[in-house]
Structure formats: structure tokens, C-alpha cells
Amino acid sequence: MGRWRDGHGELTVRSVDGGGTPVRVPLEIATSYRARTKGLLGRDTLDGALLLSPANSVHTFRMRMPIDVAYLDRRLRVVAVRTMPPGRLGLPRLRARHVIEAEAGAMAGWGLRVGAWVEVEVEGS
């Protein structure tokens, strides 16, 4: 897995049972304190997903849209998925090391649910 830097890449979503066709999603990566703090604030839309790392909780204060949130463990397996409206504080997930955010409803379309796992490919690597 390695360490990531702020930038762009691609998220590959694999199903719980490992079967089926993997789904590829454009990804923004936020690893610095500044990038994680900004997150999706001030945005009306998001094409793809945003990876926050390290992170084990999020909030939606001052956000303009509801979002889907997936909490990932250190092996990039999904431990929880929630949809959060603006103005909420998510509870920390003890096993979570990374968080993926996307527009509300997007993760269901990708098949991202508890037990699924993802891969992160960084642009230029």
C-alpha cells in the first residue's frame, strides 16, 4: 500500500466475494492536514471519490451536499458505510484508518459495502 501524497488517482472497488467486475472510480487523495481539513467543503459536486488518510471519522459541517462515507481498515477493507446529511458529526470507527467520501448514493452504485475491499492507484506510479 505504501504512503500516499495529496493528488489524484483511481479507486478500484472489489466486491465482498471477490467475484464480478471491479468498478474503477476517479479519486482525489488528501493526506496532508490542510487537504484533509478542507475535504469537500465549498463543493456542490464531486466526480468520483475523495480519500482521507489517515482518518477514522468525518463531519459534514458547512457542507453543501449529503455524502456517502466509507470507513476502511489498514488493509483497505470496508468496515462501515454511512450516508451523512450536512451538519452532522460522524462517530469515530476504532478499526478505521482511512475514509472515502463521495456524493450520496454513489457508493451503492459502485457496490461498495461492508466487507468489500478497495485498491488505490496513484497517478504517475
Side-chain angles (χ1 to χ4, degrees):
M1 178 176 74
R3 292 198 177 235
W4 301 303
R5 295 182 183 262
D6 293 348
H8 294 87
E10 187 174 69
L11 180 73
T12 303
V13 179
R14 304 215 180 255
S15 67
V16 175
D17 60 9
T21 305
V23 177
R24 299 184 183 283
V25 179
L27 181 68
E28 293 179 37
I29 302 169
T31 60
S32 69
Y33 176 78
R34 183 181 185 120
R36 288 190 326 262
T37 301
K38 183 172 189 238
L40 296 177
L41 295 178
R43 296 194 202 185
D44 294 319
T45 63
L46 173 65
D47 179 30
L50 173 67
L51 171 69
L52 305 171
S53 181
N56 67 356
S57 68
V58 296
H59 68 82
T60 58
F61 299 121
R62 296 184 14 226
M63 284 197 184
R64 299 178 181 173
M65 62 184 172
I67 61 171
D68 283 345
V69 179
Y71 299 88
L72 310 175
D73 67 13
R74 61 186 150 132
R75 294 183 178 171
L76 303 183
R77 187 163 300 273
V78 179
V79 296
V81 178
R82 299 287 180 263
T83 299
M84 295 177 61
R88 299 293 167 96
L89 176 64
L91 295 173
R93 305 287 172 187
L94 295 179
R95 294 185 347 201
R97 298 294 178 263
H98 318 281
V99 172
I100 297 174
E101 297 179 342
E103 287 188 10
M107 291 182 183
W110 303 336
L112 192 73
R113 62 179 199 248
V114 173
W117 56 280
V118 301
E119 294 175 2
V120 174
E121 185 175 324
V122 178
E123 235 174 47
S125 63

